Amino acid sequence: MSMVYINIFLAFIMSLMGLLMYRSHLMSSLLCLEGMMLSLFIMMTVAILNNHLTLASMAPIILLVFAACEAALGLSLLVMVSNTYGTDYVQNLNLLQC
Amino acid sequence: FTPLMLTAMFILLLPIIMSNTQLYKNSLYPHYVKTTISYAFIISMIPTMMFISSGQEAVISNWHWLSIQTLKLSLSFKMDYFSTIFIPVALFVTWSIMEFSMWYMHSDPYINRFFKYLLMFLITMMILVTANNLFQLFIGWEGVGIMSFLLIGWWYGRADANTAALQAILYNRIGDVGFIMAMAWFLTNSNAWDFQQIFITQHENLNIPLLGLLLAATGKSAQFGLHPWLPSAMEGPTPVSALLHSSTMVVAGVFLLIRFYPLMEQNKTMQTLTLCLGAITTLFTAICALTQNDIKKIVAFSTSSQLGLMIVTIGINQPYLAFLHICTHAFFKAMLFMCSGSIIHSLNDEQDIRKMGGLYKPMPFTTTSLIIGSLALTGMPFLTGFYSKDLIIETANTSYTNAWALLITLIATSLTAAYSTRIMFFVLLGQPRFNTLNLINENNTHLINSIKRLLIGSIFAGYLISYNIPPTTIPQMTMPYYLKLTALAVTIAGFILALELNLAAKNLKFMYPSNLFKFSNLLGYFPIVMHRLPSKMSLTMSQKSASMLLDMIWLENVLPKSISLFQMKMSTTVSNQKGLVKLYFLSFMITLALSLILLNSHE
């Protein structure tokens, strides 16, 4: 593979690490989710444009749509947690009451 | 003939017109009204005599009022058999009642207005009785309704009186809907509101207008479905009860049905309906009368029961007998009311029979008239009631009719005797149960004269009327002896039973009322249920459908809240995690890294 792809793939791996390993705030994992989405989008667009695979040109746009939906969901969950506890510290989530 | 009749009617109008002048203000006005009515009575006897001797009927049609497209409305009076005989009777009874109310309402500051209202009532009743077309009858109909409202609510400071007056108007209005329906049917189907034209043209199916007229009679004459206003109307002064609710107004409904007898003769369905309605009314109100404690209410229920009997008579196709019963009933019922008025006034406004007793020594005249009135009511042979009531029962026994309705009428007849005995027992016999400081006297000449007139009427009027009227439908002459004695037998049975029960229970301990007693005392729960339940249900239903149904349920609850509630319940039921998110993520990452490192050896 060429260097560009490896670079973007590395960015993806970094965001994944950030998603899975965070200390206290739930917001940081959501931010890393956005980073993963961004790197995927870039990789997909670059690959399609370089190989002139115009048939699949809608794929990045659709990816954007779904990413927006999931970001909204994640934010609403964050707001719900924040409504109940006041902050979004992840150690609050051990009680699991609605 | 006709000028005399018109004179009689016009004389009645004079005191009303005089009410704006000086004559109204002085204290002789009641006396003036009373003498006016007595003159009108005497004058109206003359056309009646002419009618009896010659059988000649008349229709006076003098003033063409208006023509609406093809309908011609004019002021026409019909002097036929019914109105010619009814007018003297009504005037006689009203004369006595006016004299009575001169004694009864003596201390009332608005006595002049009272007499004016009574006179206006009488005039509208005359209009009703002599109307030749439906429109004029409707004018009289509404007129008596309005005067009834004003007179029932005479003591308007009392909340019960206002409620009762309103109740009377509302129930009458429901009947008026039937009347208007009949008028509309006649207007569209025969283009006339005159009786002559209606009776001549041959109609196909008369169910609708006759149903309308039956509904009107139910409303006005307090038949079963629309009856609660009549006992409540006893909130008015006793002369009002005597005039309106015993003799004249409540017979307006029966009179309407009698007027339409050519139409009702042909329609079997209508006759059966009338019969059953009358029978139910008679029995129901007689049952309710058995356990009432207010003397005026007992007499009111007795009126209601007799009205049911009149409707039964119409139902067996005997309008002339019903009319005869109207005329005779007026005498003794008015007298019963006046006697109870004299008792009430002497006992210082005490109306509860449980607090009266032993009145036959202090008030001999009232006692006599009460007993004679009750006997006439129950149909004692050769008093007034006998000539009409016994004939009705005989005709019902020998006619081809509904046996159940007949049986009910017989039971109601015996109950009539029972509650009359109850009145007499509680009011007249025994030891006094009232406050001992009352001064009881019957000295006033107005009281004595008026009751005396009606007393003589109660005894002799039946004989006089039935032997002097032009012959009408022939009563049944031959029947088995047991049928002929049925009325007498059930009446005597009622008397004896009631007397025995009352005597036996006189000194016993008062026990808690049984369910049957409660049914009878509370008027069969009918007013309690029907006044509250339908209105509350319709109001809550409209409130619910207006606000709850659309807004709160559909827009708010069905989709959004139900989904959120469902999801929450399901998630708490299903999930069993403990929420240690960081550990879960770390384990995910370590697994991923391990798998990538370990499985890298394919290269």
Side-chain angles (χ1 to χ4, degrees), chain B residues 1-8 60:
Chain B
F1 183 69
T2 51
L4 278 173
M5 214 57 195
L6 282 179
T7 320
I60 311 170

Side-chain angles (χ1 to χ4, degrees), chain B residues 157-171:
Chain B
R158 193 181 143 85
D160 280 341
N162 286 334
T163 320
L166 202 59
Q167 207 174 344
I169 285 287
L170 285 178
Y171 278 113

Side-chain angles (χ1 to χ4, degrees), chain A residues 17 20 22-23 94 96, chain B residues 577-578 582 585 588-589:
Chain A
M17 289 294 127
L20 297 178
Y22 57 92
R23 268 191 50 131
N94 60 355
L96 262 193
Chain B
Q577 299 176 350
K578 283 193 284 289
K582 277 205 305 196
F585 277 164
F588 177 68
M589 191 201 68

Side-chain angles (χ1 to χ4, degrees), chain B residues 127-138:
Chain B
I127 295 177
L128 199 155
V129 165
T130 58
N132 196 18
N133 51 3
L134 274 176
F135 190 71
Q136 200 166 329
L137 207 146
F138 190 62

